[in-house]
Amino acid sequence: MSESSQKIKFYNGEDIPLELHKVRVVQKLHLVTIERRLEALRESGFNTFRLDTKDVFLDMLTDSGTNAMSDRQMGAMMMADDAYAGSQSFVRYQKAVEEVLGKKYLLPVHQGRAAENIISNAFVRKGSVVPMNYHFTTAMAHITQYGGRIEELLYDEAYVIRSQHPFKGNMNLEKLEACVKKHGPANIPFIRMEASTNLIGGQPFSIENLRGVRAIAEKYGIRLVLDASLLGENAWLVKQREEEFKEKSMAEIIKTMTGLADLVYFSARKLSSSRGGGICTNDEKTFKELEPLIPLFEGFLTYGGMSVREIEAIAVGLYETLDESMICQSPAFIEYLVNALDSKGIPVVTPPGVLGCHVDAMSICSHIPQKEYPAGAFAAAFYLISGVRGMERGSVSNQRDEYGNETYADMELLRLAIPRRVFTLSQIKYVEDRMTWLYDNRQLIGGLRFVYEPPVLRFFMGGLEPIDDWAEKLVEKFKQDFGDSL
Ligand SMILES: Cc1ncc(COP(=O)(O)O)c(C=O)c1O
C-alpha cells in the first residue's frame, strides 16, 4: 500500500502536511518591490493573466502545466521514440490509458480545450443543450461556438461558500431528468460531468452521484462525457469522503469513475503532466466518429499536436496518479491554507477542495458592486501587496450572453492554485500572512472597469483599469505597515 502524508501524525499534535518527496531541481524566484508590482499591474491591464513571471514571486495562477514533474517522467522523456507515425511513445500512452483509465481507444490532442473542440464539433449542433454539473470556461466556449448552450444543474448547496457538504460537485439528478424531459434526448448530444468541478472551488462529485447520472443517461440513451482533467484529486476525495470507497485503491476508484462514462477527455496539463491531452472510449463507433477530426485539427493520430517527449511524460504521469502520497500533496497543502484562513475568519470556500484555495471576494469586497468585478479587483490587490499571482474566477471569467449583456458569476472568487509539489510550507505561510493583511485592509480595495474587452474568453487577454486611485492608496498603507520590507 502506498503511504499518504495525511496519515502521518505529529507528536506535538500539530496538523502539518508532510512532503513525501524531495526537491532535486530548483528555480530561483524574485520578489520585486511594491512600486514595480504596481507598474506591472498597469502594464498588464490589472489582469493577472497578462503579468510576466519576472514580476511574480509565487505563481498561483493555475496548476495547469505547472505541477512539478517527477524524476521518472523526466527520465522517460529522454527515451521517447521520435516518429511522425506509429511512435512507440504513443503505444506506451495507449497502454497507460487502458491500464489506468480502463479505455481501449485513445485519440491524442494537444490540450484539454482541443478535446472540447473535437467533441463539440462532432456532437453539438445549433439548438443543442448540454447539461452539466457546472461549466468550465473553455468547455462552454466550444459548445456555444458550435451553436449549443449549456445548463448547469448543481444542488443549491454547491453555491454555499462555507459548507460541510463533501460533494458540492454533484449533479442535481431531479433537475437533470427534468432537463432531459424538457428538451428531449434528441437535442441533448451528451451530458457532461466535470471531476473536481473547477469553477466552484475544485469541489468533487461522489461515485454514488455519478451512478445516478449514468442511470439517467442510459434511461434516455444519452452519451455521458467525463471531463477527467482533475480526476485523480476527485478520486482521492472520494476515498476520503465516500464510505463505500474508504478501503479501495486509487486504481479501483479511478476505474469505477471512468467505467461509468461513455467518453472521457482530459487536459494532461492538469491530470498527469505539463502538456497534452486525450479523448478515450471503449466504444468503437464513437471512436470512429471522432477519429477523422484529429488529423484535421491536431496532427497525426499518434501524436495529436504533442511532442513524443510530452507523450512519454503523460504516460508515466498517469501511473503516478495512482500513488496516494503524490496525489494528496496538493489537496493537503490546500486544506492547510483553507483551514488557516478560515480560522482567522477570512471567507474561503469550504470544505477544502482541490486545485487551489478559493477566497470569497464577493463578501470580502462587498463594498464593490459586481459590475466593478470584485474578484478581479481582489486578485489584482493581492498580487500588488504580495507578489503572489492568483486568478480571478468571477464575472470577468464569465462570457456575455447572446445579446451582448454582461452575465454575473454565481461566485466571485480569487483562486490561489497550489500545483503539486511546487511550493514549500513557508511559502504557504507567507500567502496566509499577506492575505490576512489584505483582509484587514479590504476597505481600501476599489473596483475595476474594462478598457479592452476581447469578444471570446475575455479574461485571458482583457485589459482593465481601477475606477479611482485605490491601488496607490493600498501601496501607501502597505509601506506604512511594512516599511522597507518587500
Ligand atoms: C476542468 C477542466 N477542463 C478543461 C480544461 C482545459 O484544459 P487546457 O487548459 O489543457 O486546454 C481545464 C483547464 O484548466 C480544466 O480545468
Side-chain angles (χ1 to χ4, degrees), residues 317-424:
L318 275 171
Y319 291 110
E320 290 182 351
T321 14
L322 306 179
D323 175 355
E324 285 179 35
S325 73
M326 195 284 281
I327 208 74
C328 79
Q329 193 276 330
S330 162
F333 266 41
I334 291 163
E335 187 176 10
Y336 180 88
L337 182 58
V338 166
N339 290 342
L341 297 178
D342 189 44
S343 69
K344 291 182 168 155
I346 300 173
V348 282
V349 171
T350 63
V354 308
L355 205 174
C357 167
H358 295 76
V359 190
D360 180 15
M362 186 103 89
S363 81
I364 294 176
C365 298
S366 56
H367 56 286
I368 304 177
Q370 246 185 318
K371 65 176 177 13
E372 290 175 9
Y373 311 118
F378 192 58
F382 191 56
Y383 164 73
L384 180 62
I385 62 99
S386 67
V388 177
R389 159 160 85 163
M391 186 192 290
E392 191 271 2
R393 292 279 79 158
S395 295
V396 175
S397 299
N398 259 23
Q399 64 187 53
R400 286 180 181 269
D401 69 14
E402 54 194 306
Y403 309 107
N405 299 316
E406 187 79 68
T407 62
Y408 292 113
D410 298 312
M411 296 181 186
E412 295 285 344
L413 302 174
L414 163 61
R415 182 181 85 187
L416 298 169
I418 304 192
R420 276 178 221 140
R421 302 187 291 193
V422 170
F423 297 119
T424 63

Side-chain angles (χ1 to χ4, degrees), residues 64 111-113 116 136 138 192 194 198 227 229-230 267 269-270:
S64 190
Q111 64 182 90
R113 72 201 65 184
E116 289 160 347
F136 183 70
T138 52
R192 176 178 173 274
E194 182 182 311
N198 187 329
D227 178 343
S229 306
L230 288 161
S267 165
R269 298 171 65 86
K270 292 178 113 72

Side-chain angles (χ1 to χ4, degrees), residues 64-228:
S64 190
T66 59
N67 289 318
M69 290 236 247
S70 71
D71 45 2
R72 286 162 198 241
Q73 283 179 297
M74 303 293 263
M77 288 171 84
M78 294 297 113
M79 306 283 287
D81 177 25
D82 267 310
Y84 187 94
S87 163
Q88 292 310 291
S89 298
F90 183 70
V91 173
R92 286 189 275 274
Y93 182 18
Q94 272 177 320
K95 186 163 179 275
V97 166
E98 186 159 7
E99 289 182 359
V100 178
L101 303 180
K103 301 291 184 201
K104 201 161 54 184
Y105 301 109
L106 169 67
L107 297 163
V109 289
H110 78 276
Q111 64 182 90
R113 72 201 65 184
E116 289 160 347
N117 177 45
I118 301 280
I119 294 168
S120 301
N121 180 303
F123 303 132
V124 176
R125 300 285 169 266
K126 199 167 167 22
S128 295
V129 176
V130 180
M132 50 184 70
N133 50 351
Y134 204 71
H135 81 279
F136 183 70
T137 51
T138 52
M140 178 172 173
H142 282 108
I143 290 164
T144 50
Q145 196 81 350
Y146 286 100
R149 63 182 186 80
I150 62 150
E151 282 202 14
E152 292 163 328
L153 307 174
L154 288 167
Y155 289 98
D156 293 347
E157 188 70 23
Y159 302 100
V160 178
I161 298 274
R162 211 157 179 279
S163 151
Q164 293 309 315
H165 197 292
F167 294 110
K168 286 160 90 176
N170 279 353
M171 177 92 90
N172 184 320
L173 300 178
E174 296 74 37
K175 284 191 182 163
L176 175 60
E177 186 142 24
C179 168
V180 174
K181 283 185 178 154
K182 181 169 166 211
H183 301 291
N187 293 314
I188 300 181
F190 58 91
I191 297 168
R192 176 178 173 274
M193 275 297 270
E194 182 182 311
S196 306
T197 329
N198 187 329
L199 296 189
I200 59 161
Q203 298 291 320
F205 57 68
S206 67
I207 291 186
E208 186 193 3
N209 182 257
L210 187 62
R211 285 182 181 138
V213 176
R214 171 84 215 168
I216 294 172
E218 251 173 44
K219 180 170 165 191
Y220 293 97
I222 303 170
R223 218 178 264 113
L224 177 54
V225 173
L226 174 64
D227 178 343

